[in-house]
Amino acid sequence: MISAPLIVSAVAVVRDRRVLMVTARRRDVYYMPGGKVDAGETAAEAAAREAFEEVALRLAPDDLEELFEVRTQAHGEPDGRQVHMRVFRAYTDEQPAPSAEVDAVHWTTSADAGRCPPAGREVLRRLVGLGLID
């Protein structure tokens, strides 16, 4: 039996044709800043909350622009378990800083796709398609 999909939200902070990604504690893959949508919260609220928890960015949910949803195999989960990730563009001049959950922040391009799990690779591909990153 395949488990229910993981419902997550992420933020895409784009600067100089690069997008912000993170490495989590004890992991070497690049992820979008984001995480699971909690009960009673909208996808945009989850994206803003996770951005603050992971990279100390204060974002207003109403200011986030939904770009697309990625549906693919969830990284580190049994075959067939999907992740449904809604990606929101965030506009901010604040400097991201790693939090307790995150080891480092990275400004990435499509050249970094090999460091990403399936959802991250798809996000990079779509951001290139939108002309936002190299």
Side-chain angles (χ1 to χ4, degrees):
M1 183 170 112
I2 296 175
S3 300
L6 297 171
I7 306 299
V8 302
S9 290
V11 294
V13 179
V14 177
R15 291 187 190 154
D16 301 319
R17 303 198 51 78
R18 297 175 181 272
V19 66
L20 177 69
M21 296 186 97
V22 300
T23 45
R25 296 276 183 228
R26 298 172 299 284
R27 295 193 178 179
D28 59 356
V29 296
Y30 288 2
Y31 287 93
M32 297 298 296
K36 292 180 184 170
V37 178
D38 290 340
E41 125 184 290
T42 68
E45 289 167 344
R49 175 182 52 76
E50 289 284 349
F52 181 72
E53 290 175 2
E54 293 188 358
V55 292
L57 294 177
R58 293 185 187 277
L59 305 172
D62 290 343
D63 292 340
L64 299 177
E65 172 191 354
E66 186 165 356
L67 295 175
F68 49 78
E69 182 178 40
V70 169
R71 293 179 176 215
T72 189
Q73 170 66 39
H75 181 68
E77 294 287 330
D79 271 357
R81 179 103 194 252
Q82 293 271 300
V83 61
H84 295 180
M85 180 169 60
R86 290 171 68 180
V87 178
F88 294 84
R89 182 156 186 196
Y91 299 89
T92 179
D93 292 327
E94 287 184 65
Q95 291 306 312
S99 73
E101 298 177 21
V102 168
D103 273 336
V105 298
H106 312 276
W107 292 101
T108 62
T109 68
S110 60
D112 298 299
R115 306 260 335 240
C116 299
R121 287 193 300 272
E122 181 63 13
V123 168
L124 292 176
R125 187 187 73 74
R126 291 195 190 185
L127 292 175
V128 168
L130 292 171
L132 297 174
I133 68 168
D134 293 324

